[in-house]
Amino acid sequence: MPRVTTTKAAALGAALLLAAAIAPASASPDAAPSAAPAVSRPAAEPVLVDCFFKPQVRPAGFMLACGDGNSRLTSLTWSRWDADAAVARGRNLVNDCEPYCAAGTFHSYPVLVRLDRPREWKKNPRLPHYSRMTLTYTDTRPERLDRVETYPLWD
């Protein structure tokens, strides 16, 4: 919630600055017309939308299999998080579902996580969210997965 308050305060401050810049020019009919200074608004930092449609920034963990919890990212350490992409190292805990998922065993795999393709978030159009995740297994990996797996992320 502090981000929303900070964003609103920044927008209000920018509006006040713009009003102050325009007021003197419009108050004096003898003043030469001048262009109002451009007010730039910093772009919102993209978020990662979790299973409960909550925005996350640099989470330590992330559920990949929302329906059954059989795949999740843990121990995420972020080296990048900006307007274009985010990169972290961590672990992917994957249930082997042997002999079936409820009786399966979770195995941990080292993974490099990349988030990219920020897009407008339907729930909050002013807040961009990463729309694609790429997992690169840096050592062993689950039998059924390739070394590099790319997934679209929910909106």
Side-chain angles (χ1 to χ4, degrees), residues 38-79:
V39 177
S40 64
R41 186 177 149 259
E45 191 173 66
V47 297
L48 177 59
V49 178
D50 70 12
C51 293
F52 302 104
F53 296 97
K54 302 284 186 213
Q56 302 291 319
V57 176
R58 294 178 188 86
F62 185 76
M63 185 70 60
L64 292 171
C66 290
D68 58 17
N70 284 321
S71 179
R72 63 182 172 264
L73 299 173
T74 64
S75 306
L76 295 175
T77 303
W78 299 94
S79 59

Side-chain angles (χ1 to χ4, degrees), residues 63-118:
M63 185 70 60
L64 292 171
C66 290
D68 58 17
N70 284 321
S71 179
R72 63 182 172 264
L73 299 173
T74 64
S75 306
L76 295 175
T77 303
W78 299 94
S79 59
R80 175 180 178 184
W81 191 289
D82 60 39
D84 297 318
V87 176
R89 288 195 176 275
R91 311 289 297 179
N92 185 9
L93 296 179
V94 181
N95 188 346
D96 62 16
C97 292
E98 297 285 336
Y100 52 93
C101 291
T105 302
F106 279 89
H107 301 275
S108 178
Y109 303 95
V111 68
L112 179 67
V113 180
R114 179 179 171 84
L115 308 175
D116 59 13
R117 292 193 181 168

Side-chain angles (χ1 to χ4, degrees), residues 3-4 6-8 10-11 14 39-47 57-58 81-85 118-120 124-130:
R3 275 199 181 280
V4 174
T6 303
T7 303
K8 286 181 181 177
V39 177
S40 64
R41 186 177 149 259
E45 191 173 66
V47 297
V57 176
R58 294 178 188 86
W81 191 289
D82 60 39
D84 297 318
R119 302 284 189 258
E120 185 178 273
N124 182 350
R126 293 176 303 202
L127 188 60
H129 76 100
Y130 295 114

